[in-house]
Amino acid sequence: MQPAASTPASQPSANQQSPKQVIVVGAGPVGLMTALKLGTAGIAVQVIEKNAELSRAPRAVGYHGAALAALKRTPVYKEAAKMGFSGNGICWRKPLVEDGEGGMKMGDIVAALPFASNNETRDDHGNGVLYLPQSQLTQLLYNAALQTGLVKVHFNLELCEIHESEDSVTAVARNLGGELEKCQGVFLVAADGGKAASRKILNIRFKGHSWPERLIAVDALLEDKYLDSILPTSMVIHPVHFGLVTPLEPVQPGKKTLYRCTIAVDPNDERTDAELVSESNLMTFMDIIAPGPRPLDAKILNSSAYRTHQLCASTMRKGRCILAGDAAHLNNPFGALGLTTGLLDADAAADALDLIINEKKPMDLLDLYSDERRRAFQTFVDPLSTQNKLRCASDPDTVGNDWFLRGLVNKTPEILESFARPFFEIWPTDMRKLAASRGF
């Protein structure tokens, strides 16, 4: 059940402190995974969330590589695997083409990347993918965190100040009544998203660039018979209206399936976000990316318009505060490297704090956390997601000359291994192994 909107009258105050309590700002999946891992390690956590409930917005869907491995180490994985599903692979396609009957059909496949089944035995460089909407994963993490008995989540509290002393940090937040509440802990994890108040309060720069076009994410029920049941996840290649189509539930031939359709908007389109997601305009965008008869038989359940960025914090540590997830870095969604990178931040951040609090390791570990997670973003996530996006925003008639897609067309086990290896060797950060290797 979705947690009820919290008010000062309905929920315990955040005015609490503990000898080894950690404050987490943000009750999204990154903040809640951090809290869950800390609670499991016997560390009390106070989570501060400005919204009234967990977000249900259409966001991330797929978890793979080291991020999936990190999820497998949490108590939520078995339930997540039951609720979600695995895919056969992903493909890159040309735009829709006429089907000769007045409708549109999927364009030709340019290249495909096969996935291993999630229950298939494979080595450390396997490429299984779990599909589960972010909102469902967030709920699982929330429930599991509370079950530790050491995690408390406070909704309707907006962070407005952070104060640090030699041995503690205090978060000051404003409740719905306009009153200030204080929460003191030994460390603070800022996981409050791309517009993070915490990062701004800490005066940490966010460096990089924004992409010129907006994206529209639409969750819609579509007729499966017009889609590819073997490779239902498609990157659609187009110089302007590139996009992504992926199922949010197992494909059942003959029935309507819930899909996430993401479509790029022309950078010169001056309509507001609200205008773009009006019902009539959404159907126009769906006509660009969704196959089927015209008029299109689609039931839209949810939608959002947003801009994408390639940004990274100048540091992920300031004193007793560390950043994680979108508060620390942002990238476009092509390749599913956004939330997944945040989950790897959470995995590393919780391990670093566990080592410091429970095993009395020095606070310098937080510098190591910051350096290694920024290294992973700058050397892997940023360039890979950038090229994923540019590849989709290409000429569909010449994109086959791309080295990566050509490698998939001519794939061998060695080529697939070389593509998969960085997802396990560069992307994650094993804080315990690093601490030991650096003499901590």
Side-chain angles (χ1 to χ4, degrees), residues 267-297:
N268 297 315
D269 195 321
E270 296 182 351
R271 287 175 290 182
T272 65
D273 288 356
E275 290 172 333
L276 290 176
V277 297
S278 68
E279 184 175 355
S280 60
N281 285 330
L282 283 178
M283 290 307 297
T284 299
F285 284 113
M286 289 294 288
D287 279 339
I288 296 173
I289 203 166
R294 295 300 187 264
L296 183 66
D297 181 15

PDB file of all heavy atoms in Angstrom, residues 267-297:
ATOM      1  N   PRO A 267      13.577  20.343 -31.068  1.00  0.00           N
ATOM      2  CA  PRO A 267      14.091  21.433 -30.222  1.00  0.00           C
ATOM      3  C   PRO A 267      13.460  22.790 -30.535  1.00  0.00           C
ATOM      4  O   PRO A 267      13.446  23.681 -29.679  1.00  0.00           O
ATOM      5  CB  PRO A 267      15.591  21.444 -30.533  1.00  0.00           C
ATOM      6  CG  PRO A 267      15.892  20.074 -31.040  1.00  0.00           C
ATOM      7  CD  PRO A 267      14.658  19.633 -31.766  1.00  0.00           C
ATOM      8  N   ASN A 268      12.933  22.946 -31.755  1.00  0.00           N
ATOM      9  CA  ASN A 268      12.315  24.217 -32.137  1.00  0.00           C
ATOM     10  C   ASN A 268      10.845  24.313 -31.732  1.00  0.00           C
ATOM     11  O   ASN A 268      10.214  25.351 -31.946  1.00  0.00           O
ATOM     12  CB  ASN A 268      12.436  24.418 -33.654  1.00  0.00           C
ATOM     13  CG  ASN A 268      13.882  24.513 -34.108  1.00  0.00           C
ATOM     14  OD1 ASN A 268      14.680  25.210 -33.485  1.00  0.00           O
ATOM     15  ND2 ASN A 268      14.222  23.809 -35.178  1.00  0.00           N
ATOM     16  N   ASP A 269      10.311  23.255 -31.164  1.00  0.00           N
ATOM     17  CA  ASP A 269       8.912  23.251 -30.725  1.00  0.00           C
ATOM     18  C   ASP A 269       8.784  24.139 -29.491  1.00  0.00           C
ATOM     19  O   ASP A 269       9.413  23.888 -28.460  1.00  0.00           O
ATOM     20  CB  ASP A 269       8.479  21.820 -30.397  1.00  0.00           C
ATOM     21  CG  ASP A 269       6.968  21.676 -30.278  1.00  0.00           C
ATOM     22  OD1 ASP A 269       6.326  22.592 -29.721  1.00  0.00           O
ATOM     23  OD2 ASP A 269       6.432  20.645 -30.724  1.00  0.00           O
ATOM     24  N   GLU A 270       7.978  25.186 -29.583  1.00  0.00           N
ATOM     25  CA  GLU A 270       7.875  26.171 -28.504  1.00  0.00           C
ATOM     26  C   GLU A 270       6.701  25.921 -27.563  1.00  0.00           C
ATOM     27  O   GLU A 270       6.455  26.716 -26.650  1.00  0.00           O
ATOM     28  CB  GLU A 270       7.770  27.577 -29.099  1.00  0.00           C
ATOM     29  CG  GLU A 270       9.008  27.999 -29.887  1.00  0.00           C
ATOM     30  CD  GLU A 270       8.902  29.411 -30.436  1.00  0.00           C
ATOM     31  OE1 GLU A 270       7.791  29.996 -30.346  1.00  0.00           O
ATOM     32  OE2 GLU A 270       9.915  29.932 -30.942  1.00  0.00           O
ATOM     33  N   ARG A 271       5.989  24.833 -27.745  1.00  0.00           N
ATOM     34  CA  ARG A 271       4.877  24.543 -26.846  1.00  0.00           C
ATOM     35  C   ARG A 271       5.378  24.258 -25.430  1.00  0.00           C
ATOM     36  O   ARG A 271       6.491  23.762 -25.241  1.00  0.00           O
ATOM     37  CB  ARG A 271       4.074  23.348 -27.367  1.00  0.00           C
ATOM     38  CG  ARG A 271       3.222  23.663 -28.588  1.00  0.00           C
ATOM     39  CD  ARG A 271       2.552  22.419 -29.136  1.00  0.00           C
ATOM     40  NE  ARG A 271       3.516  21.500 -29.748  1.00  0.00           N
ATOM     41  CZ  ARG A 271       3.184  20.357 -30.337  1.00  0.00           C
ATOM     42  NH1 ARG A 271       1.907  19.985 -30.378  1.00  0.00           N
ATOM     43  NH2 ARG A 271       4.116  19.589 -30.878  1.00  0.00           N
ATOM     44  N   THR A 272       4.551  24.581 -24.453  1.00  0.00           N
ATOM     45  CA  THR A 272       4.913  24.321 -23.063  1.00  0.00           C
ATOM     46  C   THR A 272       4.824  22.825 -22.778  1.00  0.00           C
ATOM     47  O   THR A 272       4.219  22.061 -23.543  1.00  0.00           O
ATOM     48  CB  THR A 272       3.975  25.065 -22.103  1.00  0.00           C
ATOM     49  OG1 THR A 272       2.648  24.526 -22.240  1.00  0.00           O
ATOM     50  CG2 THR A 272       3.952  26.560 -22.405  1.00  0.00           C
ATOM     51  N   ASP A 273       5.403  22.408 -21.656  1.00  0.00           N
ATOM     52  CA  ASP A 273       5.307  21.002 -21.261  1.00  0.00           C
ATOM     53  C   ASP A 273       3.845  20.586 -21.115  1.00  0.00           C
ATOM     54  O   ASP A 273       3.451  19.490 -21.527  1.00  0.00           O
ATOM     55  CB  ASP A 273       6.038  20.770 -19.936  1.00  0.00           C
ATOM     56  CG  ASP A 273       7.549  20.836 -20.086  1.00  0.00           C
ATOM     57  OD1 ASP A 273       8.028  20.977 -21.227  1.00  0.00           O
ATOM     58  OD2 ASP A 273       8.248  20.740 -19.057  1.00  0.00           O
ATOM     59  N   ALA A 274       3.041  21.466 -20.524  1.00  0.00           N
ATOM     60  CA  ALA A 274       1.625  21.150 -20.324  1.00  0.00           C
ATOM     61  C   ALA A 274       0.916  20.961 -21.661  1.00  0.00           C
ATOM     62  O   ALA A 274       0.059  20.079 -21.805  1.00  0.00           O
ATOM     63  CB  ALA A 274       0.950  22.252 -19.512  1.00  0.00           C
ATOM     64  N   GLU A 275       1.266  21.780 -22.640  1.00  0.00           N
ATOM     65  CA  GLU A 275       0.651  21.639 -23.961  1.00  0.00           C
ATOM     66  C   GLU A 275       1.091  20.341 -24.634  1.00  0.00           C
ATOM     67  O   GLU A 275       0.289  19.655 -25.278  1.00  0.00           O
ATOM     68  CB  GLU A 275       1.015  22.837 -24.837  1.00  0.00           C
ATOM     69  CG  GLU A 275       0.348  24.137 -24.393  1.00  0.00           C
ATOM     70  CD  GLU A 275       0.881  25.345 -25.149  1.00  0.00           C
ATOM     71  OE1 GLU A 275       2.045  25.314 -25.602  1.00  0.00           O
ATOM     72  OE2 GLU A 275       0.125  26.325 -25.276  1.00  0.00           O
ATOM     73  N   LEU A 276       2.354  19.988 -24.475  1.00  0.00           N
ATOM     74  CA  LEU A 276       2.864  18.776 -25.114  1.00  0.00           C
ATOM     75  C   LEU A 276       2.159  17.521 -24.615  1.00  0.00           C
ATOM     76  O   LEU A 276       1.958  16.572 -25.370  1.00  0.00           O
ATOM     77  CB  LEU A 276       4.374  18.648 -24.877  1.00  0.00           C
ATOM     78  CG  LEU A 276       5.275  19.648 -25.604  1.00  0.00           C
ATOM     79  CD1 LEU A 276       6.718  19.450 -25.180  1.00  0.00           C
ATOM     80  CD2 LEU A 276       5.149  19.505 -27.118  1.00  0.00           C
ATOM     81  N   VAL A 277       1.797  17.508 -23.330  1.00  0.00           N
ATOM     82  CA  VAL A 277       1.191  16.298 -22.769  1.00  0.00           C
ATOM     83  C   VAL A 277      -0.335  16.366 -22.740  1.00  0.00           C
ATOM     84  O   VAL A 277      -0.984  15.565 -22.064  1.00  0.00           O
ATOM     85  CB  VAL A 277       1.738  16.001 -21.350  1.00  0.00           C
ATOM     86  CG1 VAL A 277       3.228  15.732 -21.401  1.00  0.00           C
ATOM     87  CG2 VAL A 277       1.427  17.139 -20.389  1.00  0.00           C
ATOM     88  N   SER A 278      -0.916  17.308 -23.489  1.00  0.00           N
ATOM     89  CA  SER A 278      -2.370  17.293 -23.646  1.00  0.00           C
ATOM     90  C   SER A 278      -2.745  16.055 -24.447  1.00  0.00           C
ATOM     91  O   SER A 278      -1.934  15.515 -25.211  1.00  0.00           O
ATOM     92  CB  SER A 278      -2.852  18.552 -24.359  1.00  0.00           C
ATOM     93  OG  SER A 278      -2.411  18.555 -25.712  1.00  0.00           O
ATOM     94  N   GLU A 279      -3.966  15.579 -24.293  1.00  0.00           N
ATOM     95  CA  GLU A 279      -4.364  14.310 -24.912  1.00  0.00           C
ATOM     96  C   GLU A 279      -4.176  14.307 -26.425  1.00  0.00           C
ATOM     97  O   GLU A 279      -3.651  13.348 -26.999  1.00  0.00           O
ATOM     98  CB  GLU A 279      -5.818  13.998 -24.565  1.00  0.00           C
ATOM     99  CG  GLU A 279      -6.276  12.642 -25.084  1.00  0.00           C
ATOM    100  CD  GLU A 279      -7.680  12.289 -24.633  1.00  0.00           C
ATOM    101  OE1 GLU A 279      -8.264  13.057 -23.849  1.00  0.00           O
ATOM    102  OE2 GLU A 279      -8.192  11.240 -25.075  1.00  0.00           O
ATOM    103  N   SER A 280      -4.579  15.387 -27.082  1.00  0.00           N
ATOM    104  CA  SER A 280      -4.478  15.423 -28.542  1.00  0.00           C
ATOM    105  C   SER A 280      -3.027  15.412 -29.005  1.00  0.00           C
ATOM    106  O   SER A 280      -2.669  14.713 -29.966  1.00  0.00           O
ATOM    107  CB  SER A 280      -5.195  16.659 -29.090  1.00  0.00           C
ATOM    108  OG  SER A 280      -4.625  17.848 -28.559  1.00  0.00           O
ATOM    109  N   ASN A 281      -2.175  16.161 -28.322  1.00  0.00           N
ATOM    110  CA  ASN A 281      -0.771  16.198 -28.714  1.00  0.00           C
ATOM    111  C   ASN A 281      -0.070  14.880 -28.411  1.00  0.00           C
ATOM    112  O   ASN A 281       0.806  14.439 -29.166  1.00  0.00           O
ATOM    113  CB  ASN A 281      -0.055  17.352 -28.013  1.00  0.00           C
ATOM    114  CG  ASN A 281      -0.411  18.700 -28.610  1.00  0.00           C
ATOM    115  OD1 ASN A 281      -0.714  18.796 -29.801  1.00  0.00           O
ATOM    116  ND2 ASN A 281      -0.400  19.742 -27.792  1.00  0.00           N
ATOM    117  N   LEU A 282      -0.435  14.243 -27.306  1.00  0.00           N
ATOM    118  CA  LEU A 282       0.170  12.952 -26.987  1.00  0.00           C
ATOM    119  C   LEU A 282      -0.125  11.926 -28.071  1.00  0.00           C
ATOM    120  O   LEU A 282       0.750  11.142 -28.460  1.00  0.00           O
ATOM    121  CB  LEU A 282      -0.337  12.445 -25.636  1.00  0.00           C
ATOM    122  CG  LEU A 282       0.259  13.090 -24.387  1.00  0.00           C
ATOM    123  CD1 LEU A 282      -0.395  12.514 -23.141  1.00  0.00           C
ATOM    124  CD2 LEU A 282       1.770  12.891 -24.329  1.00  0.00           C
ATOM    125  N   MET A 283      -1.339  11.911 -28.571  1.00  0.00           N
ATOM    126  CA  MET A 283      -1.682  10.954 -29.623  1.00  0.00           C
ATOM    127  C   MET A 283      -0.904  11.248 -30.902  1.00  0.00           C
ATOM    128  O   MET A 283      -0.524  10.328 -31.634  1.00  0.00           O
ATOM    129  CB  MET A 283      -3.182  10.978 -29.888  1.00  0.00           C
ATOM    130  CG  MET A 283      -4.017  10.392 -28.759  1.00  0.00           C
ATOM    131  SD  MET A 283      -3.506   8.714 -28.261  1.00  0.00           S
ATOM    132  CE  MET A 283      -3.813   7.801 -29.783  1.00  0.00           C
ATOM    133  N   THR A 284      -0.626  12.515 -31.161  1.00  0.00           N
ATOM    134  CA  THR A 284       0.189  12.861 -32.329  1.00  0.00           C
ATOM    135  C   THR A 284       1.593  12.292 -32.182  1.00  0.00           C
ATOM    136  O   THR A 284       2.162  11.739 -33.130  1.00  0.00           O
ATOM    137  CB  THR A 284       0.255  14.390 -32.504  1.00  0.00           C
ATOM    138  OG1 THR A 284      -1.063  14.897 -32.702  1.00  0.00           O
ATOM    139  CG2 THR A 284       1.124  14.760 -33.696  1.00  0.00           C
ATOM    140  N   PHE A 285       2.160  12.420 -30.984  1.00  0.00           N
ATOM    141  CA  PHE A 285       3.492  11.861 -30.746  1.00  0.00           C
ATOM    142  C   PHE A 285       3.461  10.333 -30.784  1.00  0.00           C
ATOM    143  O   PHE A 285       4.389   9.697 -31.295  1.00  0.00           O
ATOM    144  CB  PHE A 285       4.038  12.347 -29.403  1.00  0.00           C
ATOM    145  CG  PHE A 285       4.519  13.764 -29.425  1.00  0.00           C
ATOM    146  CD1 PHE A 285       3.870  14.751 -28.707  1.00  0.00           C
ATOM    147  CD2 PHE A 285       5.627  14.125 -30.181  1.00  0.00           C
ATOM    148  CE1 PHE A 285       4.306  16.066 -28.733  1.00  0.00           C
ATOM    149  CE2 PHE A 285       6.079  15.440 -30.217  1.00  0.00           C
ATOM    150  CZ  PHE A 285       5.418  16.415 -29.491  1.00  0.00           C
ATOM    151  N   MET A 286       2.404   9.741 -30.252  1.00  0.00           N
ATOM    152  CA  MET A 286       2.300   8.282 -30.282  1.00  0.00           C
ATOM    153  C   MET A 286       2.221   7.771 -31.718  1.00  0.00           C
ATOM    154  O   MET A 286       2.722   6.686 -32.035  1.00  0.00           O
ATOM    155  CB  MET A 286       1.076   7.831 -29.485  1.00  0.00           C
ATOM    156  CG  MET A 286       1.211   8.012 -27.981  1.00  0.00           C
ATOM    157  SD  MET A 286       2.480   6.945 -27.264  1.00  0.00           S
ATOM    158  CE  MET A 286       1.669   5.348 -27.385  1.00  0.00           C
ATOM    159  N   ASP A 287       1.598   8.544 -32.603  1.00  0.00           N
ATOM    160  CA  ASP A 287       1.526   8.149 -34.011  1.00  0.00           C
ATOM    161  C   ASP A 287       2.916   8.052 -34.637  1.00  0.00           C
ATOM    162  O   ASP A 287       3.116   7.326 -35.615  1.00  0.00           O
ATOM    163  CB  ASP A 287       0.688   9.154 -34.805  1.00  0.00           C
ATOM    164  CG  ASP A 287      -0.808   8.913 -34.645  1.00  0.00           C
ATOM    165  OD1 ASP A 287      -1.186   7.783 -34.279  1.00  0.00           O
ATOM    166  OD2 ASP A 287      -1.588   9.857 -34.884  1.00  0.00           O
ATOM    167  N   ILE A 288       3.877   8.778 -34.067  1.00  0.00           N
ATOM    168  CA  ILE A 288       5.238   8.764 -34.605  1.00  0.00           C
ATOM    169  C   ILE A 288       5.967   7.479 -34.232  1.00  0.00           C
ATOM    170  O   ILE A 288       6.780   6.970 -35.004  1.00  0.00           O
ATOM    171  CB  ILE A 288       6.030   9.985 -34.078  1.00  0.00           C
ATOM    172  CG1 ILE A 288       5.407  11.284 -34.593  1.00  0.00           C
ATOM    173  CG2 ILE A 288       7.506   9.904 -34.467  1.00  0.00           C
ATOM    174  CD1 ILE A 288       6.016  12.534 -33.979  1.00  0.00           C
ATOM    175  N   ILE A 289       5.652   6.918 -33.061  1.00  0.00           N
ATOM    176  CA  ILE A 289       6.496   5.845 -32.533  1.00  0.00           C
ATOM    177  C   ILE A 289       5.783   4.514 -32.316  1.00  0.00           C
ATOM    178  O   ILE A 289       6.430   3.466 -32.231  1.00  0.00           O
ATOM    179  CB  ILE A 289       7.152   6.316 -31.212  1.00  0.00           C
ATOM    180  CG1 ILE A 289       8.419   5.515 -30.931  1.00  0.00           C
ATOM    181  CG2 ILE A 289       6.165   6.250 -30.046  1.00  0.00           C
ATOM    182  CD1 ILE A 289       9.301   6.123 -29.866  1.00  0.00           C
ATOM    183  N   ALA A 290       4.453   4.519 -32.224  1.00  0.00           N
ATOM    184  CA  ALA A 290       3.718   3.290 -31.906  1.00  0.00           C
ATOM    185  C   ALA A 290       3.071   2.693 -33.153  1.00  0.00           C
ATOM    186  O   ALA A 290       2.328   3.382 -33.859  1.00  0.00           O
ATOM    187  CB  ALA A 290       2.652   3.569 -30.847  1.00  0.00           C
ATOM    188  N   PRO A 291       3.312   1.416 -33.441  1.00  0.00           N
ATOM    189  CA  PRO A 291       2.709   0.785 -34.617  1.00  0.00           C
ATOM    190  C   PRO A 291       1.246   0.430 -34.385  1.00  0.00           C
ATOM    191  O   PRO A 291       0.772   0.384 -33.249  1.00  0.00           O
ATOM    192  CB  PRO A 291       3.555  -0.478 -34.787  1.00  0.00           C
ATOM    193  CG  PRO A 291       3.947  -0.836 -33.391  1.00  0.00           C
ATOM    194  CD  PRO A 291       4.170   0.483 -32.691  1.00  0.00           C
ATOM    195  N   GLY A 292       0.538   0.176 -35.488  1.00  0.00           N
ATOM    196  CA  GLY A 292      -0.855  -0.224 -35.395  1.00  0.00           C
ATOM    197  C   GLY A 292      -1.703   0.517 -36.400  1.00  0.00           C
ATOM    198  O   GLY A 292      -1.212   1.348 -37.175  1.00  0.00           O
ATOM    199  N   PRO A 293      -3.007   0.237 -36.419  1.00  0.00           N
ATOM    200  CA  PRO A 293      -3.909   0.918 -37.359  1.00  0.00           C
ATOM    201  C   PRO A 293      -4.028   2.394 -37.008  1.00  0.00           C
ATOM    202  O   PRO A 293      -3.720   2.807 -35.892  1.00  0.00           O
ATOM    203  CB  PRO A 293      -5.234   0.180 -37.155  1.00  0.00           C
ATOM    204  CG  PRO A 293      -5.163  -0.337 -35.749  1.00  0.00           C
ATOM    205  CD  PRO A 293      -3.725  -0.693 -35.524  1.00  0.00           C
ATOM    206  N   ARG A 294      -4.463   3.168 -37.965  1.00  0.00           N
ATOM    207  CA  ARG A 294      -4.724   4.582 -37.715  1.00  0.00           C
ATOM    208  C   ARG A 294      -6.205   4.847 -37.932  1.00  0.00           C
ATOM    209  O   ARG A 294      -6.741   4.413 -38.949  1.00  0.00           O
ATOM    210  CB  ARG A 294      -3.861   5.467 -38.628  1.00  0.00           C
ATOM    211  CG  ARG A 294      -2.352   5.357 -38.358  1.00  0.00           C
ATOM    212  CD  ARG A 294      -2.017   5.761 -36.923  1.00  0.00           C
ATOM    213  NE  ARG A 294      -0.583   5.831 -36.647  1.00  0.00           N
ATOM    214  CZ  ARG A 294       0.134   4.865 -36.097  1.00  0.00           C
ATOM    215  NH1 ARG A 294      -0.452   3.726 -35.774  1.00  0.00           N
ATOM    216  NH2 ARG A 294       1.417   5.031 -35.853  1.00  0.00           N
ATOM    217  N   PRO A 295      -6.932   5.484 -36.984  1.00  0.00           N
ATOM    218  CA  PRO A 295      -6.371   6.041 -35.752  1.00  0.00           C
ATOM    219  C   PRO A 295      -5.851   4.957 -34.811  1.00  0.00           C
ATOM    220  O   PRO A 295      -6.377   3.847 -34.767  1.00  0.00           O
ATOM    221  CB  PRO A 295      -7.549   6.797 -35.143  1.00  0.00           C
ATOM    222  CG  PRO A 295      -8.759   6.118 -35.687  1.00  0.00           C
ATOM    223  CD  PRO A 295      -8.398   5.706 -37.085  1.00  0.00           C
ATOM    224  N   LEU A 296      -4.811   5.314 -34.056  1.00  0.00           N
ATOM    225  CA  LEU A 296      -4.135   4.372 -33.180  1.00  0.00           C
ATOM    226  C   LEU A 296      -5.036   3.978 -32.012  1.00  0.00           C
ATOM    227  O   LEU A 296      -5.659   4.823 -31.373  1.00  0.00           O
ATOM    228  CB  LEU A 296      -2.849   5.015 -32.644  1.00  0.00           C
ATOM    229  CG  LEU A 296      -1.963   4.146 -31.751  1.00  0.00           C
ATOM    230  CD1 LEU A 296      -1.389   2.978 -32.538  1.00  0.00           C
ATOM    231  CD2 LEU A 296      -0.832   4.992 -31.150  1.00  0.00           C
ATOM    232  N   ASP A 297      -5.089   2.683 -31.751  1.00  0.00           N
ATOM    233  CA  ASP A 297      -5.865   2.167 -30.620  1.00  0.00           C
ATOM    234  C   ASP A 297      -4.939   2.070 -29.414  1.00  0.00           C
ATOM    235  O   ASP A 297      -4.286   1.053 -29.187  1.00  0.00           O
ATOM    236  CB  ASP A 297      -6.448   0.797 -30.968  1.00  0.00           C
ATOM    237  CG  ASP A 297      -7.289   0.225 -29.828  1.00  0.00           C
ATOM    238  OD1 ASP A 297      -7.647   0.987 -28.911  1.00  0.00           O
ATOM    239  OD2 ASP A 297      -7.572  -0.990 -29.854  1.00  0.00           O
TER     240      ASP A 297
END
